Amino acid sequence: MIDKKTLLASLLGASVVLPLPALAQDSSSDSDPVTLRMAYDADPVSLDIHEQLSGGILQLSHLTHDPLVRWTKDVNFEPRLATEWERIDDKTMRFTLRDGVKFHTGNDFTAKDVVWTINRLKHSGDFKAIFDPIASATAIDEHTVEIKTHKPYPLVLNLATYIFPMDSEYYSGETEDGDPKDEIVKNGDSFASRHSSGTGPYEVVSRQQGVKVEFERFDDYWDKDSPGNVDRLVLTPIGENATRVSALLSGDVDFIAPVPPNDLERVKADKNVELTTMSGTRIILMQLNQKRVEAFEDPRVRQAFNYAVNQQAIADRLMKGFATPAAQLSPKGYDGYNDSLEPRYDVEKAKELMKEAGYEDGFSVTMMAPNNRYVNDAKISQAVATMLSRINVDVDLKTLPKAQYWGEFDDRAADIMMIGWHADTEDSANLYQYLTECPDPETGAGQYNAANYCNPEIDEKVAQANVETDRDKRAEMLQAVEKALYDDAAFMPLHWQDLAWAAKKNVKLEPVVNVMNFPYLGDLVVEQ
């Protein structure tokens, strides 16, 4: 048994460690409050759910807010703050909103909050590209909203999964310092980054960035049919994989994510713990910055880098088979998935291309990657650096904790940068909009395109697909986009990362986890 105080002190890096409460099944009464102690690899970078488009922020959104609609486990739509929806014409969708919903402040939820939230999303650097098709949002009455698009658009319901209405009254006006309360400050300090008022199942009651976030069940939460019985959540970020697993197996926490591939068997063997796994759709890739390295402007060099990397070896050895080697962005099941594309590992071919491009002797590059965001991210980046040395590319690699990495990523601070992406609209076009479209700060296109890759012809194909309402035709168009990106070697795809969570046996995780990796913890049941 690991000494709990010693373990937690090392995890939190704090001089004072507060004791974590025991699970309620240790108490004498079934009516005692239920606490879930959870450990993720990192905590949310902000409380502002529009500051960053990331898995961590969307996980937070499902705790503190509710979307208009949300994905089910079988990737269909279910009502949340919108109870009904109907298409009025080819550019207009009408949503009927749930009555009697309260924000954490006690303010009533109405249509004006939805309109206010959509307008804010359209001004968010990270979200504006997704919401660019939206022309307007109008409150018809207190519980009816109409969303109009510029052109016929087949993915309005997909977009609605991103609309987590914020408390417009709470975020209106100015702070004592004269700053707008609705201001979005990327990687900075703002009212919204430190304060939260949503309609979700949990309120944030305490937060120490990088140390601990505490949530309590919202007494006036609207969903009285939810089976969830957890009264308090304590989220402790534990970046080191082995330490996170040890915290679960020793009983210091009740639920962890992710479970690293190296520890899957160890967790599975523990009779007190339940392991839940799922095939994933998050693509892990490297981006080659063409503005920083002239050689990356040559598609032959980009192709050579792709031929130099052995995705299968990374999936087998580092991920222990808990990943699927990738040759494209779209995973199987997405309309854009092109089954003709295969990973292209061939070192000799890579050397030929480098010679043909005039770089037989190679060159030096810098590389950055996170070390606590994706499964085995630091080890994967080291493996890629080693593989590139075989074609005489000298890589200066730097890995950083997630909280520091994203600022460097936004600054495009290295020649090669790692990114992982899950299309939260569950649609291929989302991948292209953020990762490969020509960067445009005005529209938000290419917001996470650290390669500064730009191919207007491919972007036009994506734009045409986005207004095609015939699904079969649209799928053909998206698959053509994947083939064009593959031929142009727009990026270095590595693999699609599988998902794994683990919890004590009385924590019933399976019903609330999903391929989006947004556990619906408001519905979580802990047996007592």
Side-chain angles (χ1 to χ4, degrees), residues 38-43 55-56 59 235-249 253 255-267 273-278 280 282 284 319 322 371-377 380 402 497-503 509 513-514 517-519:
M38 50 194 284
Y40 284 171
D41 52 359
D43 56 336
Q59 288 168 354
L235 168 59
T236 302
I238 305 178
E240 211 283 319
N241 286 335
T243 308
R244 188 168 61 254
V245 172
S246 294
L248 174 67
L249 299 185
V253 298
F255 162 45
I256 65 169
V259 180
N262 289 346
D263 288 298
L264 291 171
E265 293 304 318
R266 178 184 170 205
V267 171
V273 170
E274 191 77 33
L275 177 69
T276 302
T277 62
M278 193 176 293
R282 180 182 299 279
I284 306 297
M319 298 298 290
F322 204 61
N371 56 28
N372 66 343
R373 175 61 188 95
Y374 311 114
V375 177
N376 284 343
D377 40 18
I380 290 166
K402 180 178 79 169
Q497 176 182 293
D498 288 349
L499 301 170
W501 309 264
L509 270 187
V513 296
N514 48 57
N517 196 18
F518 309 146

Side-chain angles (χ1 to χ4, degrees), residues 505-521:
K505 290 230 181 241
N506 63 322
V507 178
K508 300 306 174 184
L509 270 187
E510 199 281 331
V512 302
V513 296
N514 48 57
V515 72
M516 287 73 67
N517 196 18
F518 309 146
Y520 299 150
L521 296 181

